[in-house]
Amino acid sequence: MKFTISPQAQTWYRENLDLRPGDGLHFYGKVYGKTNVHDGFSLAFLIEKPRNPYYELQIDDISYFFTDNDVWFFKYYDLQIDYDAKSDSPIYTFVPEA
């Protein structure tokens, strides 16, 4: 259960969400939608500082994380976050945990 975030996706988050050093991006599963491995649930995020994250990846002093309450959504998978220039947005792919 880990994240990888491409440099292009990091730039998109910083520029479009106005993230600054010390900020955090909390990823979680929400009802409705789907991912490549979830049916009926999709990925969402909130800008908030981490408080006891279950998993945290820090890049350029920005925390990308999920909490204990989110483990069910990420369990058995790693999340790869990349950037799609055509849609000008991040793309999310879940892959089996290594």
Side-chain angles (χ1 to χ4, degrees), residues 75-93:
K75 193 172 188 177
Y76 308 120
Y77 298 102
D78 293 336
L79 175 60
Q80 297 175 342
I81 304 172
D82 206 348
Y83 171 76
D84 179 37
K86 189 173 181 178
S87 65
D88 186 29
S89 65
I91 52 174
Y92 307 99
T93 306

Side-chain angles (χ1 to χ4, degrees), residues 5-19 59-60 62 64 81-83 88 90:
I5 305 173
S6 72
Q8 297 85 355
Q10 293 168 40
T11 298
W12 187 93
Y13 286 125
R14 282 193 309 273
E15 291 176 356
N16 289 275
L17 303 178
D18 198 30
L19 294 178
I59 302 171
D60 296 332
I62 295 171
Y64 301 88
I81 304 172
D82 206 348
Y83 171 76
D88 186 29

Side-chain angles (χ1 to χ4, degrees), residues 3 5 10 13-14 17 19-27 45-66 81:
F3 298 159
I5 305 173
Q10 293 168 40
Y13 286 125
R14 282 193 309 273
L17 303 178
L19 294 178
R20 303 279 183 235
D23 286 343
L25 204 55
H26 176 185
F27 290 93
F45 58 81
L46 293 169
I47 299 171
E48 62 183 14
K49 295 190 185 304
R51 289 180 219 109
N52 301 316
Y54 181 88
Y55 173 82
E56 180 178 20
L57 172 63
Q58 282 208 336
I59 302 171
D60 296 332
D61 203 26
I62 295 171
S63 296
Y64 301 88
F65 68 97
F66 63 88
I81 304 172

